[in-house]
Amino acid sequence: MLKQLPEEVLNLWNNWEIRGMVLLSLLLQTILIAFGSRRKTIARNWIRILVWSAYLSADMVATVALGNLARSQGDLSGEEKANNSIQAFWAPFLLLHLGGPDTITAYSIEDNELWLRHLLGLVVQVGVAFYVFSKSWPSGILAFIAIPLFIVGIVKYAERTWVLWSSCSKSLKNSNLFDFWRSYHLKRIKEIGLRALQGNYLRQAYIFSYISRSMMQDLVPSLVDLMLSQLLMSKYSAGGAFKVVEIELGLICDMLYTKAPLIYSRAGIILRSISFLLTFTAFITFEVKIEKHAYSTIDFTITYLLFVAAVFLEFYAFLCLVLSDWTLIWLTAEGGNALTSALYSLIRKLTRSERWSRSISQYNLISSSIESKPPKCLEFLGIDEMMRQMNVNRKDMNGGLQGFIFGHLQKNSLKIKENFNFIDKNFRRKIIGQRGDGVLEREGLLQDLKWSTTEVEFSRSILVWHLATEICYCVDKDANNVPSEYETSRCLSEYMMYLSVMRPDTLSQGFGDEGYLHSLRDLDSISKGEAPTKSPAATSREEVVDAILFYYESYVIDDIRFQFRWKETKSAVAGGDRLAKQLRLLGFKKRWEIIEEVWMEMLAYAAAHCPWKEHAQQLRRGGELLTHVCFLMLHLGLSEQYEYNSFKDYNSLNDYTRGHDLVLPWEEEEYREAIDRYLRGNADMSLSSSNEEVKELKRMVAYKDEELERKERELEQLRSFLVASTP
């Protein structure tokens, strides 16, 4: 096909095929260096698309470039041989590109599982690079300059493969098991001191990361870890607690998606020093010793750019190493001498404080119903999923929302702390299993409103409460003295709706588009005036709400018929109208306090039941409020994963806190009594469970006996019929 092109085009292609691939590989590496680490602080689509495209293309382009270099080598002479030798000199640079920057080794957590593929690629590509260079082995100094570059390229590629292996699920589980039970187990806290940890966000986040990383691999910490974690976190304000979790999640993100497991170790620092010296030495030697006129000006310029990029890559890696939270943690751990204090202050001034996007996404179902719809043909291509993103807005986190969330979680933490209730795993499960029914039961409204919470799946509950919140908001927004719960409720409502529509995997199992699509269809019908009432077409959210109220006021049904239709229909619009009417019977302030608390319980429920893998995935997308809430709950003891081991837990914690000017808020006798209650409760539950199982077996046997008797009667009737019909 290419032979049919004009000769000028063919010559241009032949001359620039390898050059273009090498320059494209360099461009992709620059994008990954610049934006690889920025994706955890920017929650926009453009950066995800940019990094995703560069990440997928970088290895492919470098591999193809190496293949083209191998194909282009041969027995040449004169100027062509000189040009071929300097192009063969690009092979170690391509190995360097295949090693990737320190800022990103895996785009998603699944990429870490492909370490074996990268190991095979390391062997093959190193072999190809040596073949390319050996075919056009240059004479003179150029061959000696290539040797250190080959070493750096192989080291970089091997680093990436090792980091991917160390971050795969099996390696993480094994390493976290060792770190948690051998390195952590309160040894670090004992060395640092509990008093010293308070107010030191970096060091406390580093300590908490040991608990988090182990629990993310489904390891089970003991109650001593729960008690100590709860004791430390409860000392912070809302802003301080969110700051600790923000740093902790940044450290975990580095461990999962970058070369942090290696570069922040002693071996990593040594390798960084060696690679920087080798690269810089090769660059200076090339600049001083190589005769520019002996090679093509274009090829020499490209080689110079590759050198500059390689040196910049090493320098940028050094800056990332120095200006990281890991360095600050190391400086604070080394003591308080004047030098470390000065370095710490200097680095704090140079580093940026953002570690995640500090914003939350908002999705309004009613607003999206009046937006233009994509053509039907796009549904088959999956583009309609992308079109939903156009209706998503971002809202900055504020101190008021942080204070409300942390205050609610602290109240629940105090509940499990009372009378050592945290020993009882069932009690903890009950607290974190509330998704709106807790506040409704406390206010005496559960019997009337349980149809919208405990009696339906979680996705349907989010839909109906979101619609009810929007209806109440549009009706009440002109009222005077609007409480703070007004905006907080809407913010959480639209955030939970965003998770339901755009991030269903972060919520509990059973989420699908069916209820959402049916509700959207009904809203679209009502807003366009296609409903039986023939109301005017709505063009704003307020007009849609008015149309909903107008439609269902003319369509009155009693409670029994509503309950029947609510269970049969998939749309949540009628339920939203019904729930809004019930909530509007309450006082203005009381109504919004209840709505706010219901949404907070739903948020906590979703955070506690989101799979750990999904939490890890959100770290590369700018972070999610859901993940921060989950880790706050974890460190406040609101988790089912903690297990009671033995009475020695109390003695261990008491030993560690003694001497640090801190005392446990529990007496030993209370602790023993709580353990006795827990063990007796478990025994009663086991006995009750056994009795229930026996009763169930008896019922099954009785049912089988009845079935057998019925079959025998039917058989006897059939036999009698056959005898009677025989002539």
Side-chain angles (χ1 to χ4, degrees):
M1 180 177 178
L2 288 177
K3 292 181 179 180
Q4 299 177 0
L5 296 175
E7 185 177 353
E8 294 81 4
V9 176
L10 284 175
N11 291 335
L12 182 64
W13 175 267
N14 293 331
N15 291 332
W16 279 92
E17 179 184 8
I18 296 175
R19 294 167 177 169
M21 297 296 286
V22 171
L23 289 175
L24 179 59
S25 178
L26 179 60
L27 175 63
L28 293 173
Q29 290 300 310
T30 305
I31 293 173
L32 292 176
I33 292 169
F35 297 101
S37 61
R38 294 283 292 150
R39 61 182 181 147
K40 72 177 182 180
T41 61
I42 300 176
R44 299 293 180 183
N45 285 333
W46 67 265
I47 193 169
R48 289 207 295 271
I49 295 173
L50 180 66
V51 174
W52 173 76
S53 303
Y55 180 84
L56 291 183
S57 304
D59 285 358
M60 180 185 66
V61 170
T63 302
V64 172
L66 268 176
N68 286 341
L69 279 174
R71 188 190 62 188
S72 66
Q73 304 308 308
D75 296 327
L76 301 170
S77 59
E79 184 180 351
E80 289 184 351
K81 185 175 182 180
N83 289 336
N84 258 33
S85 65
I86 199 169
Q87 287 187 359
F89 186 67
W90 298 342
F93 288 103
L94 293 173
L95 280 182
L96 191 66
H97 294 175
L98 286 169
D102 294 347
T103 54
I104 177 171
T105 54
Y107 178 79
S108 65
I109 201 167
E110 291 84 5
D111 293 325
N112 293 320
E113 308 299 326
L114 303 177
W115 66 271
L116 201 57
R117 180 185 299 178
H118 284 270
L119 179 60
L120 177 62
L122 170 63
V123 176
V124 173
Q125 300 305 333
V126 169
V128 172
F130 273 115
Y131 169 77
V132 169
F133 201 67
S134 63
K135 289 287 289 182
S136 296
W137 186 263
S139 59
I141 195 65
L142 196 61
F144 293 98
I145 296 176
I147 293 174
L149 291 177
F150 265 111
I151 295 174
V152 174
I154 294 171
V155 167
K156 288 283 189 181
Y157 205 162
E159 281 180 359
R160 182 184 182 186
T161 305
W162 184 89
V163 169
L164 289 171
W165 168 80
S166 66
S167 299
C168 72
S169 57
K170 184 177 180 180
S171 299
L172 280 176
K173 196 159 193 173
N174 292 335
S175 63
N176 284 334
L177 185 64
F178 177 82
D179 287 342
F180 189 68
W181 298 115
R182 296 289 300 278
S183 300
Y184 176 69
H185 207 62
L186 300 179
K187 174 184 176 183
R188 297 174 184 271
I189 297 179
K190 182 180 180 182
E191 294 172 350
I192 297 172
L194 290 172
R195 178 63 68 182
L197 278 175
Q198 295 180 25
N200 192 323
Y201 300 142
L202 287 166
R203 289 166 76 180
Q204 185 159 337
Y206 181 61
I207 296 298
F208 279 167
S209 68
Y210 278 90
I211 296 179
S212 305
R213 282 157 50 195
S214 64
M215 296 188 80
M216 290 178 76
Q217 299 304 316
D218 296 323
L219 300 178
V220 181
S222 64
L223 283 179
V224 66
D225 308 307
L226 181 152
M227 289 187 285
L228 186 61
S229 176
Q230 194 180 54
L231 182 65
L232 291 170
M233 185 59 81
S234 61
K235 303 294 182 182
Y236 280 106
S237 63
F242 270 89
K243 186 74 172 179
V244 170
V245 169
E246 177 181 324
I247 298 171
E248 177 189 2
L249 291 176
L251 297 177
I252 294 174
C253 182
D254 290 342
M255 296 295 289
L256 292 176
Y257 297 111
T258 71
K259 291 186 179 179
L262 178 66
I263 62 177
Y264 297 118
S265 64
R266 184 175 300 175
I269 294 173
I270 293 173
L271 288 174
R272 278 293 162 277
S273 303
I274 293 174
S275 62
F276 179 77
L277 288 174
L278 290 176
T279 305
F280 190 72
T281 302
F283 178 49
I284 296 300
T285 306
F286 179 83
E287 176 72 18
V288 174
K289 295 292 185 180
I290 297 299
E291 180 62 39
K292 302 179 182 180
H293 303 292
Y295 306 99
S296 165
T297 304
I298 296 175
D299 290 342
F300 187 88
T301 304
I302 292 175
T303 307
Y304 197 84
L305 283 175
L306 291 172
F307 260 118
V308 171
V311 172
F312 173 76
L313 177 65
E314 295 296 333
F315 182 70
Y316 186 78
F318 174 76
L319 284 180
C320 290
L321 177 65
V322 172
L323 303 178
S324 67
D325 287 338
W326 300 88
T327 303
L328 294 175
I329 292 169
W330 178 79
L331 287 174
T332 56
E334 287 301 306
N337 59 64
L339 178 60
T340 57
S341 299
L343 288 174
Y344 179 84
S345 301
L346 178 62
I347 293 173
R348 284 293 297 271
K349 292 177 181 178
L350 294 175
T351 54
R352 298 176 338 116
S353 60
E354 292 85 1
R355 294 177 179 87
W356 73 296
S357 62
R358 294 183 181 175
S359 61
I360 56 178
S361 297
Q362 307 277 277
Y363 184 90
N364 191 291
L365 184 61
I366 294 180
S367 296
S368 64
S369 69
I370 56 179
E371 297 291 336
S372 59
K373 307 296 186 299
K376 284 287 185 181
C377 60
L378 297 182
E379 294 183 9
F380 299 101
L381 302 176
I383 300 179
D384 61 320
E385 300 286 337
M386 300 174 60
M387 295 293 289
R388 294 181 190 177
Q389 191 69 39
M390 298 176 63
N391 296 320
V392 174
N393 299 311
R394 305 285 304 181
K395 186 173 184 178
D396 293 335
M397 281 285 292
N398 57 72
L401 182 58
Q402 289 183 347
F404 168 68
I405 292 173
F406 190 65
H408 175 87
L409 297 180
Q410 272 192 316
K411 290 177 184 177
N412 286 343
S413 179
L414 290 175
K415 289 179 184 177
I416 69 169
K417 189 186 293 186
E418 292 175 355
N419 300 321
F420 280 93
N421 285 324
F422 57 75
I423 294 176
D424 190 350
K425 186 176 180 178
N426 296 318
F427 187 84
R428 279 183 274 135
R429 182 183 293 115
K430 178 184 176 181
I431 291 294
I432 65 178
Q434 294 173 341
R435 52 185 181 94
D437 50 300
V439 60
L440 295 179
E441 184 177 17
R442 188 172 65 248
E443 298 294 335
L445 299 171
L446 183 59
Q447 189 62 32
D448 295 331
L449 299 180
K450 64 182 180 180
W451 62 268
S452 65
T453 53
T454 56
E455 291 186 348
V456 291
E457 60 271 15
F458 191 34
S459 58
R460 195 163 169 80
S461 186
I462 290 176
L463 274 171
V464 69
W465 276 90
H466 171 73
L467 290 170
T469 303
E470 282 302 304
I471 292 172
C472 290
Y473 172 79
C474 291
V475 172
D476 294 344
K477 69 176 183 177
D478 294 328
N480 297 323
N481 302 318
V482 175
S484 60
E485 294 85 358
Y486 199 63
E487 288 300 329
T488 303
S489 301
R490 285 198 70 233
C491 181
L492 293 179
S493 168
E494 295 187 2
Y495 177 65
M496 292 301 297
M497 198 62 216
Y498 161 79
L499 293 178
S500 177
V501 174
M502 305 302 302
R503 297 280 181 265
D505 291 338
T506 61
L507 302 177
S508 53
Q509 297 296 322
F511 268 75
D513 279 349
E514 197 172 24
Y516 160 75
L517 292 175
H518 279 80
S519 301
L520 193 62
R521 194 176 299 122
D522 282 359
L523 286 173
D524 185 56
S525 176
I526 292 173
S527 64
K528 290 181 178 179
E530 297 174 359
T533 54
K534 299 296 182 182
S535 57
T539 58
S540 66
R541 187 171 62 231
E542 291 76 12
E543 292 179 358
V544 175
V545 169
D546 291 339
I548 293 172
L549 296 175
F550 178 73
Y551 172 65
Y552 286 105
E553 280 178 2
S554 60
Y555 187 69
V556 180
I557 57 175
D558 56 28
D559 288 340
I560 297 177
R561 291 177 61 194
F562 169 76
Q563 292 293 340
F564 175 77
R565 294 199 175 187
W566 171 246
K567 294 176 182 178
E568 292 296 322
T569 185
K570 293 180 173 59
S571 173
V573 179
D577 175 77
R578 187 78 168 199
L579 179 59
K581 285 183 171 68
Q582 290 178 292
L583 291 172
R584 287 167 62 193
L585 297 176
L586 305 172
F588 182 84
K589 187 170 180 60
K590 190 70 172 178
R591 170 166 64 252
W592 284 104
E593 287 176 352
I594 290 175
I595 293 175
E596 183 185 49
E597 288 290 335
V598 166
W599 280 118
M600 184 60 234
E601 285 191 6
M602 287 188 180
L603 176 64
Y605 177 87
H609 292 83
C610 175
W612 285 114
K613 183 179 178 181
E614 292 301 323
H615 282 307
Q617 293 282 24
Q618 302 313 311
L619 298 179
R620 63 180 176 85
R621 294 171 175 158
E624 282 289 357
L625 173 64
L626 190 76
T627 304
H628 288 72
V629 173
C630 174
F631 278 68
L632 284 173
M633 294 175 67
L634 173 65
H635 299 314
L636 287 170
L638 300 171
S639 173
E640 294 183 40
Q641 279 185 248
Y642 292 106
E643 289 283 358
Y644 164 71
N645 289 333
S646 65
F647 177 71
K648 66 181 181 181
D649 285 347
Y650 182 88
N651 293 331
S652 300
L653 186 61
N654 201 27
D655 290 341
Y656 286 123
T657 54
R658 190 184 296 119
H660 295 294
D661 196 24
L662 285 173
V663 294
L664 293 177
W666 319 285
E667 295 294 337
E668 183 176 330
E669 184 178 351
E670 295 176 355
Y671 185 75
R672 287 183 180 275
E673 291 177 357
I675 292 174
D676 291 338
R677 287 197 307 271
Y678 173 65
L679 296 177
R680 284 197 304 270
N682 278 353
D684 293 340
M685 287 181 63
S686 299
L687 181 61
S688 174
S689 178
S690 299
N691 292 338
E692 289 296 328
E693 289 177 0
V694 171
K695 291 179 181 178
E696 182 64 24
L697 286 173
K698 288 181 178 180
R699 283 195 294 267
M700 291 176 64
V701 170
Y703 175 75
K704 291 296 183 182
D705 289 341
E706 291 177 0
E707 283 288 307
L708 184 60
E709 290 177 2
R710 186 175 61 81
K711 293 291 184 183
E712 288 178 350
R713 287 195 300 269
E714 290 177 354
L715 185 61
E716 185 64 30
Q717 291 175 0
L718 180 61
R719 190 181 294 114
S720 301
F721 173 77
L722 291 174
V723 171
S725 60
T726 302

